[in-house]
């Protein structure tokens, strides 16, 4: 394109593209939601800052440190180290990279033991790091079987992974037990709480699901502000119990102002840290508790409505994810899509999956259930 196009025309093109996007209102498949307005304001103000070069942006860097402090407090370790990542995928890749660096493992032999339900980002990590994944089977409630994890450990195992809020079913692994296993075996334990990290602490009885640094075996945690944290995309959090562990990722970065870098991305957005800082400070625990309590009440509403239709749940919801068995789930998903409802399906077992994010209100659920009845002819 030799000649540029005038601004007005481009803005029209952008509007046109934006209008073709699906508004969150009828989306029950996503783990993201409309960000809090204060996160949007902060994002806009800091969009030009680059945390890959933090000495040029000391103000933004201080916001990132404050985010890590707040996330650490939430996860029972105010002194935790870490940084704001692009999301759960980067956090999981970096956590496994840390374990590999710490063990100075031979990549050709090293393995990681994790639940069958762990997110596919671990497959990306394994490919990049050249390590093998050993996936342990789940029990009837879709939590990992800890005895099976123990049996998979051998002398080349470099880390264990547990999940606090599985992507498909929202289940929480028995992390207290896995923490004990990690300590017995002297292994690095990473907890993927990308989804559950901003839900579990705000449940009515959070002590039912202990998952974070209060468990002595937990060495790192992934927690995503851009999911239930109400921040803007891309905002993830990777936290470490020990600063020295994060330092295992250090790479010399001579041409920059900071000399060393431990993040996966080089140039990285300061807007994510600013947005996360703003929304966490603004909502406080009280605000998140209110949001989670509403999501859980709506989760129960959807669960009760689907049960009343005679459908069978896969598990009783632990977090704000509802899964029900329906005959030919793929066909049902497509029919719902034709009616502008966006849900997803799970594979094992096959089921319809709905994530009750803050935009999935009572009214949305009632309208959705009415349409689902038509699709299922009940
Ligand atoms: N971990 C869990 C448990 C997830 O549910 C997801 C995404 O859904 C991820 C990691 C990856 O997060 P992201 O897509 O933000 O990289």
């Amino acid at each position: 394109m030799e000649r540029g196009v005038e601004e007005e025309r481009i803005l029209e093109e952008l509007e046109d593209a934006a209008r073709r996007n699906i508004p969150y209102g009828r989306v029950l498949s996503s783990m993201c939601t409309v960000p809090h307005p204060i996160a949007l304001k902060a994002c806009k103000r800091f969009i030009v800052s680059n945390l890959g070069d933090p000495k040029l942006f000391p103000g933004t860097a201080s916001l990132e440190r404050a985010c890590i402090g707040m996330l650490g407090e939430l996860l029972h370790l105010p002194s935790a180290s870490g940084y704001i990542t692009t999301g759960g995928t980067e956090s999981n890749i970096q956590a496994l990279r840390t374990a590999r660096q710490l063990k100075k493992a031979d990549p050709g032999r090293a393995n990681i033991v994790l639940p069958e339900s762990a997110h596919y980002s671990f497959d990306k990590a394994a490919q990049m790091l050249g390590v093998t994944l050993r996936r342990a089977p789940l029990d009837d409630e879709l939590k990992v079987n800890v005895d099976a994890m123990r049996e998979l450990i051998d002398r080349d195992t470099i880390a264990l992974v547990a999940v606090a809020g599985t992507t498909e079913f929202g289940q929480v692994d028995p992390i207290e037990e896995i923490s004990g296993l990690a300590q017995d075996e002297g292994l690095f334990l990473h907890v993927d709480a990308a989804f559950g990290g901003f839900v579990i602490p705000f449940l009515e009885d959070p002590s039912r699901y202990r998952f974070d640094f209060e468990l002595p075996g937990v060495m790192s945690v992934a927690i995503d502000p851009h999911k239930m944290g109400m921040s803007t995309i891309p905002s993830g959090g990777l936290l470490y119990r020990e600063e020295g562990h994060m330092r295992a990722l250090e790479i010399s970065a001579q041409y920059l102002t900071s000399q060393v870098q431990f993040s996966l991305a080089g140039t990285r957005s300061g807007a994510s840290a600013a947005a996360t800082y703003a929304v966490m400070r603004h909502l406080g625990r009280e605000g998140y508790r209110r949001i989670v309590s509403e999501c859980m009440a709506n989760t129960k509403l959807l669960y009760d409505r689907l049960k009343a239709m005679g459908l069978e749940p896969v598990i009783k919801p632990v977090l704000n994810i509802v899964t029900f068995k329906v005959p030919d789930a793929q066909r049902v998903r497509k029919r719902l899509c034709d009616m502008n409802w966006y849900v997803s399906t799970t594979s094992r077992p096959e089921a319809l999956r709905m994530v009750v994010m803050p935009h999935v209100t009572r009214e949305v659920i009632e309208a959705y259930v009415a349409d689902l009845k038509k699709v299922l002819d009940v």
Side-chain angles (χ1 to χ4, degrees), residues 12-193:
E12 272 168 27
E13 289 168 4
L14 293 178
E15 258 322 295
D16 192 45
R19 270 197 299 272
R20 279 188 281 126
N21 292 341
I22 314 289
Y24 272 113
R26 287 168 80 92
V27 175
L28 286 81
S29 57
S30 177
M31 292 177 135
C32 293
T33 190
V34 184
H36 192 286
I38 201 165
L40 290 172
K41 280 186 194 161
C43 181
K44 199 168 159 201
R45 179 71 180 88
F46 284 82
I47 198 73
V48 298
S49 64
N50 168 19
L51 277 173
D53 211 351
K55 294 230 168 76
L56 289 185
F57 300 95
T60 318
S62 73
L63 296 181
E64 181 176 45
R65 282 194 300 277
C67 286
I68 297 305
M70 287 190 281
L71 289 170
E73 222 176 276
L74 187 64
L75 301 174
H76 293 101
L77 189 69
S79 63
S81 306
Y83 76 99
I84 297 297
T85 67
T86 50
T89 299
E90 179 179 342
S91 300
N92 290 339
I93 291 171
Q94 288 283 78
L96 297 199
R97 187 176 148 225
T98 307
R100 202 193 69 178
Q101 293 299 97
L102 288 172
K103 276 271 187 185
K104 300 186 172 43
D106 172 359
R109 299 176 64 97
N111 70 69
I112 283 149
V113 174
L114 76 173
E116 210 166 71
S117 52
H119 188 259
Y120 58 80
S121 49
F122 291 104
D123 294 290
K124 296 183 186 177
Q127 282 181 7
M128 292 165 73
L129 298 169
V131 300
T132 308
L133 296 185
R134 294 186 172 179
R135 286 187 179 264
L138 312 181
D139 66 15
D140 292 346
E141 290 184 301
L142 305 179
K143 297 179 195 171
V144 73
N145 177 330
V146 183
D147 288 333
M149 282 185 90
R150 185 177 291 112
E151 276 167 31
L152 288 170
I153 296 171
D154 66 12
R155 51 195 284 273
D156 294 317
T157 303
I158 59 167
L160 305 180
V161 172
V163 189
T166 59
T167 311
E168 288 198 318
F169 299 98
Q171 185 53 282
V172 180
D173 286 323
I175 301 178
E176 198 157 351
E177 231 181 300
I178 300 169
S179 161
L181 177 61
Q183 286 192 295
D184 291 347
E185 301 284 343
L187 288 168
F188 187 97
L189 170 59
H190 171 64
V191 173
D192 180 0

Side-chain angles (χ1 to χ4, degrees), residues 195 198-199 224 226-230 288 292 295 320 357-358:
F195 185 71
F198 269 100
V199 182
D224 278 2
H226 72 199
K227 294 190 170 74
M228 282 294 288
M230 312 294 296
Y288 282 114
V292 168
C295 288
N320 44 330
M357 294 300 287

